[in-house]
Amino acid sequence: MIGGELTRRVEQLTAERAPFVMATVVHVQRPASVAPGSVGLVLSDGSIEGFIGGHCAQHSVRLHALEAMDAGWPLLLRILPEGPPEPVREEGAVTVVNHCLSGGAIEVFLEPVLPAPRVLVAGDSPIVRELRRLGPAVGLDIVAARDIPDGTLRPAGTDLALVVAAHGTDEVATLRAGLEGGVRWVGLVASRKRGAGVVEELRTEGVSEELLDRLETPAGLDIGARTPAEVALSIVARIVEIRREAHEERHEPARSDG
C-alpha cells in the first residue's frame, strides 16, 4: 500500500511531468524481506524510492521497470531463486532468476506512469479550439500560449508536435522556433499557396533546407477535411501516426551489417 510520503512524491513527479514506474509487490513466497502490497517508485535514472525488496530483488526490478517505462506498457515481473538462466517472457509478464535471493520468490507489478506527450498549438482559431477538444481523448497534452503564465510558447525537443494555426500572426517566428528547437513534428495550417510563401520566408531568414523539409503544410492527413473539426481530426490523426512511428523506431531491432 502506498503511504503518505510516496503519495506526495507521486504528486510531485506528476506535476513535474517526470516519468516513473509504480512497482507494487503482489505476491510473496517466503522467505522474503518484503510483504505483499509494498510499493516503490522507479525513476527514469534507475533510482528506487520506497521498499520493494532487498538488493537482489531491486536489481531485477530496476532493469525491468526501465524496460516497461520505455515500452509504455505494464509488466508483471516474477523473480525466482532458481530456474532457467535466461528470462522467460510471455504476454505482459517476464520471469527471471536471481540466485542471490534467500530462497523465496516475489512478483512485482510494474506500471509506468508517463506524462502525456506535449503538443503546442499557436493561434486562437476554431481549429485550435477543436484540437484542444480532440487531443486529450487520444492521450495528448494540448498546450496553447494562454496556458503558459507569460503567454510565450517555447518549443523544445521533448515536445511531440507544434501546430501553427495563427492565420499569419507570428507564424514565421513560431515555426522557426519549433524547427530549430527540435520538435519532432511541425505543421502549419494554411493553403498550399500560402504555406509555400511561409516556407520561402523561412528560407529567406536562413532556416536550413534540412529543417524546412520537416515542416508539413497543409498540416494533417489528407482526408478531404473542410470544417474546423475535420481539419483538427486530420491533424490529430497525423500526430498519432508520428507518435507511433517514434515508438517503433525506439524498439526496432538492431541490424547487423555482417
Side-chain angles (χ1 to χ4, degrees), residues 22-233:
M22 185 90 71
T24 305
V25 178
V26 295
H27 178 72
V28 172
Q29 176 182 306
R30 301 296 178 185
S33 60
V34 67
S38 297
V39 177
L41 307 179
V42 184
L43 308 189
S44 59
D45 63 0
S47 59
I48 298 176
E49 300 181 11
F51 185 70
I52 46 178
H55 176 75
C56 294
Q58 287 182 13
H59 173 74
S60 297
V61 169
R62 177 182 296 107
L63 177 65
H64 292 283
L66 293 176
E67 175 187 310
M69 184 185 297
D70 186 49
W73 296 101
L75 181 70
L76 178 64
L77 171 65
R78 304 185 184 97
I79 309 175
L80 307 178
E82 57 185 27
E86 297 298 324
V88 177
R89 295 182 180 273
E90 53 190 298
E91 187 173 357
V94 60
T95 302
V96 300
V97 172
N98 194 322
H99 295 292
C100 77
L101 290 179
S102 57
I106 66 173
E107 294 185 7
V108 185
F109 184 66
L110 305 172
E111 182 180 11
V113 181
L114 307 175
R118 198 168 78 144
V119 175
L120 305 180
V121 291
D124 191 25
S125 63
I127 291 172
V128 168
R129 291 194 285 274
E130 291 296 333
L131 285 171
R132 291 172 67 88
R133 182 178 66 86
L134 294 173
V138 294
L140 301 175
D141 180 18
I142 308 295
V143 178
R146 67 185 183 187
D147 301 320
I148 301 171
D150 65 1
T152 302
L153 292 177
R154 294 179 176 83
T158 53
D159 295 321
L160 175 61
L162 166 65
V163 182
V164 177
H167 298 296
T169 304
D170 296 325
E171 284 180 332
V172 172
T174 305
L175 290 168
R176 180 169 189 167
L179 293 169
E180 295 181 346
V183 176
R184 185 169 184 90
W185 182 80
V186 179
L188 169 65
V189 177
S191 66
R192 296 188 184 280
K193 181 177 181 180
R194 192 169 72 82
V198 172
V199 169
E200 188 56 37
E201 284 188 65
L202 288 164
R203 182 178 287 115
T204 301
E205 288 201 1
V207 178
S208 71
E209 293 299 322
E210 181 181 1
L211 291 180
L212 290 176
D213 287 343
R214 295 180 48 240
L215 172 59
E216 292 191 13
T217 182
L221 298 179
D222 186 2
I223 60 172
R226 293 291 182 271
T227 68
E230 290 172 347
V231 173
L233 175 63

Side-chain angles (χ1 to χ4, degrees), residues 2-23 39-51 69 113:
I2 187 168
E5 185 175 343
L6 276 185
T7 298
R8 289 189 291 273
R9 184 65 170 130
V10 167
E11 293 172 352
Q12 178 186 11
L13 291 169
T14 302
E16 294 173 353
R17 293 180 50 83
F20 62 95
V21 172
M22 185 90 71
V39 177
L41 307 179
V42 184
L43 308 189
S44 59
D45 63 0
S47 59
I48 298 176
E49 300 181 11
F51 185 70
M69 184 185 297
V113 181

